[in-house]
Amino acid sequence: MITRTLNKVLLLTGLGLAMAPTAPAAESIRKTAPKQEDIDRALALVACKADHTAFRTLANQVGGIATSERSPAGWQPIPGKGGEYSNALGDMPGVVAEMQLPAPVLVFGHPSTRLILSRSSVVAVFDGAIIADLSKTLSLDAAGSHGAPAGMRVVQSAPETQGDGIHVMALVAQRIDADPTPITVAGCLYFTR
């Protein structure tokens, strides 16, 4: 289950990033730069330094971004292939919004200017193939260790306050062979199993 969730979220994020066109209708939204407090909040989510409640709060706040024509907390809708907004990146399900940072910030020791929010993760986007360095920096598990897939490290797991599931937060990283150049995504996966 964890492998399938991780692969789906990261693969769709990366592939969609490479394929998504920029729509002219986004210009009014894209001109709104995120505030520093919004950037800090998003970076805490990327680094698994915020909890499930913070992730759900952001997800609810950004949920209607495709139809609201506004940029809540610095997040922007991502256009689909037809130029219209959808809760998908390049018409691929799972990716909801992006935050374009006004200047590069160091995320896990590497510069990034773009964050992506999906239905179950917040990741930073890096140009190039830096997966080996990120895996080392984040102390990600090798394939098969502790039952986790490669490129993932569980940071926290706790029982739901209501229900019988377990909330899991995991650091993840994956290299995406995108066209024309490869990218790497890394961040925090928030899910309940």
Side-chain angles (χ1 to χ4, degrees):
M1 172 108 172
I2 293 173
T3 303
R4 186 173 43 207
T5 303
L6 170 68
N7 287 339
K8 185 189 318 178
V9 170
L10 292 178
L11 184 58
L12 291 177
T13 299
L15 291 175
L17 286 171
M19 296 170 40
T22 303
E27 291 308 312
S28 63
I29 295 172
R30 292 187 189 279
K31 290 180 183 175
T32 305
K35 298 176 185 171
Q36 188 60 48
E37 63 192 41
D38 297 326
I39 294 170
D40 294 342
R41 198 172 302 122
L43 291 173
L45 287 163
V46 168
C48 287
K49 293 182 178 177
D51 60 14
H52 274 78
T53 303
F55 178 76
R56 279 193 305 270
T57 299
L58 176 62
N60 288 334
Q61 182 182 26
V62 177
I65 194 169
T67 56
S68 69
E69 294 185 17
R70 62 184 177 83
S71 177
W75 293 93
Q76 308 161 32
I78 297 174
K81 289 180 184 173
E84 296 145 11
Y85 294 109
S86 64
N87 285 336
L89 181 57
D91 296 327
M92 293 179 164
V95 177
V96 177
E98 68 179 333
M99 180 184 284
Q100 294 281 341
L101 303 175
V105 295
L106 285 181
V107 183
F108 309 127
H110 296 276
S112 178
T113 58
R114 191 173 183 194
L115 306 178
I116 300 291
L117 171 69
S118 79
R119 292 183 184 136
S120 59
S121 67
V122 183
V123 297
V125 178
F126 306 94
D127 293 328
I130 58 170
I131 189 67
D133 189 52
L134 281 170
S135 294
K136 183 178 176 182
T137 300
L138 299 176
S139 301
L140 300 181
D141 290 334
S145 65
H146 307 293
M152 178 178 190
R153 178 171 56 94
V154 174
V155 175
Q156 179 182 7
S157 61
E160 288 181 292
T161 54
Q162 297 177 343
D164 58 358
I166 298 174
H167 291 302
V168 178
M169 293 171 28
L171 285 170
V172 295
Q174 184 171 350
R175 181 177 187 263
I176 308 296
D177 290 321
D179 183 29
T181 60
I183 59 170
T184 300
V185 294
C188 194
L189 181 63
Y190 296 83
F191 65 97
T192 301
R193 62 177 184 168

